[in-house]
Amino acid sequence: MTNHWVDIKNANLVLIMGGNAAEAHPCGFKWVTEAKAHKGAQLIVIDPRFNRSAAMADYYAPIRTGTDIAFLGGVIHYLLSHDKINHEYVKAYTNAGYLVNSAYGFEDGLFTGYEPAKRAYDKSTWSYVKGPDGYVEVDATMTDPRCVMNLMKAHYARYTPEVVSNICGTPQDQFLHVCEMIAETSAPTKTLTIMYALGWTQHTVGTQMIRTAAMVQLLLGNIGMAGGGVNALRGHSNIQGLTDLGLMSNLLPGYMTLPMEQETDFQKYLEVRALKPLRPGQLSYWQNYPKFHVSLMKAWYGDAATKDNDYAFDYLPKLDKIYDILQVFELMHQGKMNGYFCQGFNPLASFPNKAKIGGALAKLKYLVVIDPLATETSEFWQNFGPYNDVDPTKIQTEVFRLPSTCFAEENGSLVNSSRWLQWHYQGADPPGEAKADPEIVAGIFLKLRELYRKEGGAFPDPIVNLTWNYAIPAAPHPEELAREYNGRALADLTDPADPTKVVLKAGQQLDSFAQLKDDGSTACGCWIFSGAWTEKGNIMARRDTADPSGLGETLGWAFAWPANRRILYNRASCDPAGKPWDPRRDIIHWNGSKWVGFDVPDFKPDSAPAQDMGPFIMQPEGVARFFTLDKVIDGPFPEHYEPFETPISTNPLHPKVVSNPAARVFKDDLEAFGTAKDFPYAATTYRLTEHFHFWTKHAKINAILQPEQFVEIGEELAKEKGLKAGDQVMVRSNRGFLKAVAVVTKRIKPLTVNGKTVHTVGVPIHWGFKGVAKNGYITNTLTPYVGDANVQTPEFKSFLVDIEKA
Amino acid sequence: MASQSLDIARRSATTTQPPNVRGDVPKVAKLIDISKCIGCKACQAACMEWNDYRDKVGTCNGTYNNPPDLDADQWTVMRFTEYEPEGGKLEWLIRKDGCMHCADPGCLKACPAPGAIVQYGNGIVDFHEEHCIGCGYCITGCPFDIPRLSKKDGKAYKCTLCSDRVAVGLEPACIKSCPTGALVFGTKDDMIHHAEGRIADLNSRGFAQAALYDPKGVGGTHVMYVLPHGDKPEIYDRLPKDPGISPWVSVWKGVTKPILGLGLGVIALGGFIHYVTKGPNEADDEDAKEDKHERR
């Protein structure tokens, strides 16, 4: 989230789109009811289904699954053509006036530089025009046809209400009503908050859907404001912590990145990440990358990381490509990956095309599953009748199941959507032989290290030199790990203003990442978590609810990364002169000598407004980007592309380029896509309030509240198919089928899309063949094996099925 | 539960003065704001946990209503209704159903077993199952169709409004668990005041008929609803528009009054006879209940 859960209460207008907060985030949704009850806020819900959130909405509009960019692109067009934008904000805080490379263009669904054989772009033209001083050229009047604003206007001029309605199936009057409601928040004293979740991420254009939302918010001047922002509702506890700590194949902790295989030079690796300002006077905070990185390597390798060995840079793996989960299972399926550790992950249930996942697991020599529950994955080799129809005699994979603890059986912190690290305490002892994950991993590590020490190997250094100074090496305490993430001084640290004054003695915990050094004198396991466990103790365990502003900026409650900051980009809550756009939303302001207020300023604390430093300090421009250069791989402006399985078999905007041309598709998976001819209905998967992923079907109460697998279809489709509520139905995609009870509902209506009637079939996840709920089919039997072009999140939300009475 | 045995206002089939040495205690109420309820069923889960009962893992009947009805092992359920008036907007109405804790409780009036049903001074109507003879008259007496006989022990069960929690100053478990503030608890006066604010908000959002549901036919209730369509309670899964105590109860009372005059010994004997013949009685009631609820 740019903002945080409590801050939702400050909004005038709440847009839930690409998510279903009431259903999937019922506790967080309370802040929507607060905004409605106490601030008179309005709630808009846009979704293919009239869902639990819609039941609470002041205005609901339907949309065809996978077409959110068309809808939001239409909103951008509406705001620009009706002049409903915060002009001063857009001018001062975005790249709207920046001039773009004259070679950049967009035609017939493709941006410049497309290379069809690679399914990738040469992004070199997606760049700014730079002046002789090395800085980007800006036309503050925004009259130059090559400035971002005019390119953006031209790009979205195609997204008229007629076009939007034709693609999305949203009736034009309803689309326009939503536009009018949103446009009202362009006033500096009104805010819109956008709440989204997997309904945006799980598409082949997921990253771009979220970007489109950010663009809408920038035009309205709602980023940085209390009650504004683009707010990702994280689902899996602790998924925010997972990304923060860099548990993606290409990430290091704190959103640093692993080097690619050509990046063998340490200084060059740092240079391209420590971005120099693109405009005069900008902070460009990533210039501190070397401090974060060197401190990380000191935390990991201690004395083995020295200036002379580039702080053990050679210990890091260099990637030839991104090893996301789709890539990993593709390699497994090809027989190129033979062993797999599966920790807190149930891929047989959670990843698309179950047949492929199960087939891949069957090719492994060994599979290690670390989980508190007996997952489907750990029993993929067992025959469970129709739910898992495999022949165990033909599967040779050796499976090790290592029982681990649940969150309530251990101390530790979880990071919530608000970026809050909240410490919690063990509530119960784990059952049986279950051990905490650190203990399990430590056991494996110590054994491996012993083998490397004894037997050597091609390159044992990264294993044998890893810092492992835990009190009990076989069972590191969560407290020790937390202190390590926070970081400590390795030598006495002095005040930069007065070198005779020692700020921290060697060995003391750091106060914040501002103290990090690139000379090896500090160690820090995750720079954005620095400040969570200082010399004052465990900051994450604080539970002070004091809220002096009444806006919910409870700085004494837990710890929010970065630097205990509650609202990101909060400098943008003030006008360029440093005065809050809205006096009732005064979270920080310039007091004449420094930035002060109820939140921690996301800014250089003493940079006067006259110095023209931009509020988006992580960007080398200092401003937010409408035109996003080469930072995403599928285009500098979001464009509507159809899901890979589209019910209309074309893209009305550009029939020659139907789906995302830059999305990676493996050959077998391309062949496994179905077409509308055989599978005429748009399908989408989702969660239900009564369950949490594939866990709670193991819990009796949840099983009582939602016992048996079902699918949802509209009354019109039911009538066509001769189905009634309670009937058993079979839902088929080109990859498999499931059978479930039909819920026939008024809440899913057929949509008219490109002259065709499109029905939606809703398929909840949650069921499987382990647990106490009624056994069911794995929903991801149906879903397609293709991911978002940028981050490879699978397209669980949009695919094609057929349905019949079972 | 007998935690409030000093604050009893009424006791079934009893003519002697109930204990109320402490005098007046404030009336309590639960307010269910339908406009804030997302149907998450947290209250159902909390009810199961606090009261420590577990229904069976059932089946999906083609709706979100799970379990599909109240039961001796399910004291509250969500009832989902898709309401789409001609030419109007679709609404998904979600009503938490359970005991309304009537000020004038039909169940208590109908109950022939001394002390099986009590009404506390704070308004909570509670079943004391150890005195229940399983006759099922409370079901007939209830205008909201709430109590259910258990197949395990033949006794009638329903929501206690967590009288045990309330007795020690805690809110009912459902209130504690509600994530959106759709459920609130306090004195009845405060809840009426709270409802006024909610109704004003709903009026401003186009629900001109929003109203508090506190039906006079049963003397008002200690569980009340804020209904966005206050003029049409029946659209919320047949919430009765004008509930009252069944005339059957008056007939029963007419018959029993002279009997009561004969003294408690006769009542005890009657209870004993009921108890002995409980088997066939229970079967009949079960059948009747099943017929009644199949349509859900």
Side-chain angles (χ1 to χ4, degrees), chain A residues 294-311:
Chain A
V294 169
S295 299
L296 171 70
M297 298 306 275
K298 289 300 287 183
W300 282 2
Y301 291 111
D303 292 343
T306 63
K307 189 167 192 305
D308 292 339
N309 74 353
D310 291 335
Y311 299 103

Side-chain angles (χ1 to χ4, degrees), chain A residues 22-24 26 52 687-692 702 766, chain B residues 38-42:
Chain A
E23 183 93 42
R52 274 174 160 123
R687 282 129 186 92
L688 301 167
T689 309
E690 294 89 338
H691 282 294
F692 178 75
N702 301 79
H766 300 308
Chain B
I38 56 176
C40 69
K41 304 185 188 170

Side-chain angles (χ1 to χ4, degrees), chain A residues 461-478:
Chain A
D461 307 36
I463 304 292
V464 298
N465 288 335
L466 189 66
T467 302
W468 205 266
N469 297 328
Y470 305 109
I472 304 169
H477 277 242

Side-chain angles (χ1 to χ4, degrees), chain A residues 313-332:
Chain A
F313 180 65
D314 292 342
Y315 288 11
L316 292 177
K318 312 288 184 290
L319 298 171
D320 61 333
K321 56 176 173 282
I322 308 295
Y323 288 85
D324 58 275
I325 300 160
L326 293 175
Q327 178 69 69
V328 162
F329 274 88
E330 169 68 15
L331 288 171
M332 211 185 284

Side-chain angles (χ1 to χ4, degrees), chain A residues 346-591:
Chain A
N346 187 3
L348 191 73
S350 306
F351 254 61
N353 192 357
K354 172 181 173 271
K356 179 167 179 170
I357 302 285
L361 293 170
K363 289 182 180 166
L364 289 172
K365 286 182 183 155
Y366 69 88
L367 169 67
V368 180
V369 178
I370 306 173
D371 207 281
L373 300 167
T375 61
E376 277 76 8
T377 300
S378 68
E379 298 198 16
F380 78 95
W381 49 275
Q382 289 246 50
N383 188 300
F384 287 89
Y387 308 119
N388 197 47
D389 196 7
V390 297
D391 179 357
T393 64
K394 301 230 166 75
I395 298 173
Q396 300 305 313
T397 312
E398 190 168 359
V399 180
F400 302 87
R401 197 152 71 188
L402 307 180
S404 66
T405 49
C406 249
F407 60 90
E409 294 160 356
E410 62 205 20
N411 286 354
S413 73
L414 295 164
V415 191
N416 73 357
S417 307
S418 307
R419 296 167 281 101
W420 296 356
L421 286 76
Q422 299 186 101
W423 194 262
H424 64 85
Y425 298 94
Q426 181 180 358
D429 287 328
E433 297 179 307
K435 288 180 170 31
D437 290 69
E439 192 176 349
I440 294 172
V441 174
I444 295 168
F445 168 73
L446 294 175
K447 191 75 193 168
L448 279 173
R449 188 176 67 176
E450 190 188 324
L451 287 170
Y452 274 104
R453 275 182 180 161
K454 233 187 268 172
E455 300 175 14
F459 189 42
D461 307 36
I463 304 292
V464 298
N465 288 335
L466 189 66
T467 302
W468 205 266
N469 297 328
Y470 305 109
I472 304 169
H477 277 242
E479 290 80 356
E480 290 175 297
L481 299 171
R483 289 170 65 93
E484 191 175 332
Y485 290 138
N486 178 84
R488 65 200 166 95
L490 299 175
D492 288 357
L493 297 185
T494 53
D495 187 343
D498 176 8
T500 62
K501 198 177 149 202
V502 174
V503 181
L504 279 182
K505 287 192 186 134
Q508 285 192 308
Q509 292 291 105
L510 300 174
D511 297 317
S512 86
F513 52 76
Q515 292 167 331
L516 294 175
K517 307 277 186 205
D518 59 6
D519 61 3
S521 60
T522 53
C524 178
C526 182
W527 73 275
I528 57 173
F529 287 178
S530 195
W533 196 308
T534 67
E535 284 300 311
K536 288 181 186 143
N538 185 350
I539 305 299
M540 300 172 276
R542 297 179 309 168
R543 292 293 182 272
D544 183 352
T545 54
D547 176 20
S549 68
L551 294 167
E553 315 307 325
T554 50
L555 297 186
W557 179 279
F559 174 79
W561 73 256
N564 204 27
R565 192 168 285 140
R566 306 291 155 146
I567 297 181
L568 296 181
Y569 318 117
N570 55 28
R571 161 66 181 93
S573 70
C574 292
D575 63 18
K579 199 165 135 275
W581 294 108
D582 179 356
R584 290 165 310 162
R585 290 184 170 91
D586 181 358
I587 44 174
I588 66 160
H589 60 263
W590 178 252
N591 73 355

Side-chain angles (χ1 to χ4, degrees), chain A residues 30 36 52 56 708 745-746, chain B residues 37 39 60 64 82 179 205:
Chain A
K30 85 163 66 121
K36 278 170 65 98
R52 274 174 160 123
M56 296 288 106
E708 189 179 19
T745 176
K746 297 180 197 298
Chain B
C37 174
C60 173
Y64 275 51
E82 295 177 353
R205 290 172 198 274

